[in-house]
């Protein structure tokens, strides 16, 4: 039975990936922080009787390098999926130093923990389309990086650390350059979930308006459940490499609002208020991924359409509030 270790297992992607690996018969280990308690709700959703095996949780932090070495020695994983990060772009402007330490250096610490422990694990790095930032669309594996936030800068560092350990030590280390992916388990302060939760709260009479920032930004939004399959495929590939995972379709925040409110029979223009508090010091205007390499070499394609994703998220938030 292969052994997998997931950092950030309590996050959106971690919960879907753990679910996928358990269904494939893996022994799955996850790293959580003591404060992860609140977000373990996502993991509860896995105990629905459809998954074989159990998820074993371990305390750890990307800020604790010795602890990471100890975990590597104890678990001796075959595959490490590194998903933990300070992952919010706007927050990274407020906490640039912290974001650099966790999201950037934290990746180097984990790579070094694998190397010094001598465990021959395959390594997946959760790289991001935010590394492309201001580079015009469509973006693929050859597009120049031009990050527009401390988060994007930290992810560029982590990307190159991954390539460097591959080249220096022959490690099987791959970057998945994932474009935005969402789900009913998405953190509540990312724009898609903020909108779908807002729609449900308005319907339930708990909220009158929804305050948002830049409605004109365009993103290539896919479903997280589809994207974790791409992560797994990268580590089963015959060689380590870097891959874009995206849908190849972009929509604006405004279009997301239109569809989400429309799903509930509402007109977004009646409820959405543009609020400068949510504008960023530098914006990423247009991300549109070209996933043709992942399709060609990994046989990966997204299964969920944009309209289905929006409906899934609105319906889930309405169900929570009974609205
Ligand atoms: P998420 O929901 O924010 O999950 C991130 C996880 O990292 C959380 O479980 C968090 O733990 C953990 N974490 C944060 N700081 C940590 C630390 N110092 N030590 C250990 N764990 C720590 O993110 P996601 O959406 O699942 O994304 C997964 C990864 O993919 C992230 O690296 C993100 O940057 C990257 N990514 C995401 C997208 C996307 O659209 N979702 C696109 C491209 C790349 P707590 O629960 O304790 O807070
Ligand atoms: O913003 C605009 C905002 O925070 C999307 C992370 O998973 O994907 C994510 O980063 C767009 C931006 O995601 C609000 O200005 C408008 O243009 O949902 P977001 P993000 O910044 O694209 C990448 C690929 C990652 O790697 C990251 O980890 O929406 N926007 N109004 C707003 N955004 C937020 N959060 N809140 C608003 O009120």
């Amino acid at each position: 039975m292969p052994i997998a270790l997931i950092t950030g297992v309590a996050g959106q992607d971690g919960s879907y990936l753990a679910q996928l690996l358990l269904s494939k018969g893996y022994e799955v280990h996850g790293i959580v922080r003591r404060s992860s308690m609140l977000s373990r709700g996502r993991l509860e959703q896995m105990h629905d009787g459809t998954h074989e095996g159990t998820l074993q949780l371990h305390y750890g932090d990307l800020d604790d390098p010795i602890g990471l070495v100890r975990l590597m020695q104890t678990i001796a994983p075959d595959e490490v999926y590194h998903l933990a990060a300070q992952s919010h772009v706007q927050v990274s402007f407020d906490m640039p130093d912290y974001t650099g330490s966790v999201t950037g250096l934290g990746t180097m610490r984990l790579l070094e923990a694998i190397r010094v422990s001598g465990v021959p694990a395959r390594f997946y790095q959760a790289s991001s389309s935010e590394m492309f930032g201001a580079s015009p669309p469509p973006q693929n594996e050859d597009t120049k990086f031009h990050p527009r936030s401390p988060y994007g800068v930290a992810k560029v560092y982590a990307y190159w650390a991954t390539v460097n350990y591959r080249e220096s030590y022959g490690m099987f280390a791959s970057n998945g350059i994932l474009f935005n992916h969402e789900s009913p388990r998405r953190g509540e302060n990312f724009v898609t979930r903020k909108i779908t939760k807002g729609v449900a709260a308005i319907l339930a009479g708990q909220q009158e308006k929804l305050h948002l920032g830049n409605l004109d930004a365009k993103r290539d939004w896919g479903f997280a459940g589809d994207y974790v399959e791409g992560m797994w495929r990268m580590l089963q590939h015959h060689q380590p490499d870097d891959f874009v995972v995206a849908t190849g379709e972009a929509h604006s925040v405004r279009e997301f609002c239109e569809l989400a409110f429309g799903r509930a029979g509402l007109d977004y223009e009646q409820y959405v208020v543009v609020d400068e508090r949510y504008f960023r010091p530098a914006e990423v205007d247009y991300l549109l991924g070209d996933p043709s390499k992942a399709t060609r070499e990994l046989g990966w394609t997204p299964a969920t359409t944009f309209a289905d994703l929006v409906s899934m998220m609105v319906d889930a938030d309405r169900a929570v509030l009974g609205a």
Side-chain angles (χ1 to χ4, degrees):
M1 183 191 288
I3 302 173
L5 172 64
I6 304 173
T7 72
V9 73
Q12 170 188 256
D13 292 5
S15 69
Y16 281 105
L17 180 63
Q19 211 168 321
L20 177 77
L21 297 179
L22 287 172
S23 75
K24 289 183 182 295
Y26 276 70
E27 177 182 316
V28 184
H29 297 257
I31 296 182
V32 289
R33 298 185 287 181
R34 193 172 72 84
S35 55
S36 302
M37 193 64 89
L38 285 175
S39 50
R40 281 204 214 148
R42 293 188 179 111
L43 300 178
E44 296 300 321
Q45 298 174 42
M46 293 172 37
H47 299 302
D48 59 5
T50 56
H51 309 290
E52 289 172 16
T54 51
L55 171 64
Q56 299 178 45
L57 299 179
H58 307 262
Y59 287 114
D61 199 300
L62 293 172
D63 232 358
D64 176 15
I66 303 285
L68 295 176
V69 173
R70 203 179 300 122
L71 283 171
M72 272 325 138
Q73 289 170 337
T74 314
I75 299 165
D78 300 299
E79 296 172 10
V80 174
Y81 295 88
H82 177 38
L83 310 184
Q86 191 303 95
S87 73
H88 201 280
V89 172
Q90 182 136 26
V91 170
S92 79
F93 285 105
D94 298 329
M95 304 176 77
D97 186 304
Y98 174 78
T99 303
S101 176
V102 172
T103 305
L105 263 180
T107 304
M108 183 71 91
R109 292 184 194 116
L110 187 59
L111 284 162
E112 188 60 4
I114 296 171
R115 188 183 76 81
V116 302
S117 66
V119 174
R122 292 187 168 201
F123 178 82
Y124 171 86
Q125 163 58 14
S127 283
S128 166
S129 51
E130 280 295 302
M131 301 187 304
F132 299 128
S135 278
Q139 294 96 2
N140 68 18
E141 294 80 4
D142 299 322
T143 301
K144 189 177 158 222
F145 295 149
H146 184 155
R148 297 268 286 168
S149 64
Y151 169 79
V153 170
K155 282 289 185 186
V156 170
Y157 178 92
Y159 171 96
W160 282 113
T162 303
V163 173
N164 181 249
Y165 271 57
R166 182 164 82 212
E167 293 176 351
S168 304
Y169 306 114
M171 196 183 275
F172 192 113
S174 297
N175 282 290
I177 308 174
L178 271 55
F179 282 62
N180 299 52
H181 45 281
E182 319 293 313
S183 74
R185 300 182 200 170
R186 183 59 142 151
E188 293 175 4
N189 58 353
F190 295 93
V191 78
T192 55
R193 186 75 199 288
K194 184 171 167 185
I195 295 167
T196 61
K197 201 165 175 270
V199 168
I202 287 167
L203 279 177
Q206 295 176 356
Q207 192 174 317
E208 285 182 2
K209 298 285 181 190
L210 178 63
H211 289 247
L212 296 174
N214 179 12
L215 301 185
D216 296 317
K218 287 187 173 155
R219 290 290 183 275
D220 180 330
W221 278 297
F223 172 49
D226 295 342
Y227 284 32
V228 296
E229 170 79 24
M231 298 176 186
W232 177 75
R233 288 186 185 220
M234 278 177 224
L235 293 202
Q236 313 316 308
H237 200 46
H238 61 89
Q239 62 184 24
D241 204 347
D242 309 315
F243 296 93
V244 159
V245 174
T247 68
E249 203 180 296
H251 299 273
S252 65
V253 174
R254 190 184 305 282
E255 283 173 79
F256 195 103
C257 288
E258 206 171 343
L259 232 64
F261 280 84
R263 174 78 179 170
L266 302 174
D267 174 3
Y268 83 96
E269 290 187 284
Q270 309 286 314
Y271 301 97
V272 171
V273 177
V274 173
D275 186 333
E276 288 192 7
R277 274 183 309 160
Y278 297 107
F279 287 179
R280 295 173 180 181
E283 178 62 285
V284 170
D285 294 319
Y286 196 167
L287 291 176
L288 169 64
D290 169 8
S292 45
K293 180 177 173 186
T295 301
R296 195 174 58 246
E297 296 191 20
L298 303 175
W300 179 87
T301 48
T304 311
T305 65
F306 177 65
D308 287 346
L309 173 67
V310 177
S311 301
M312 180 201 309
M313 292 179 68
V314 171
D315 295 354
D317 276 320
R318 288 179 70 176
V320 170
L321 294 189

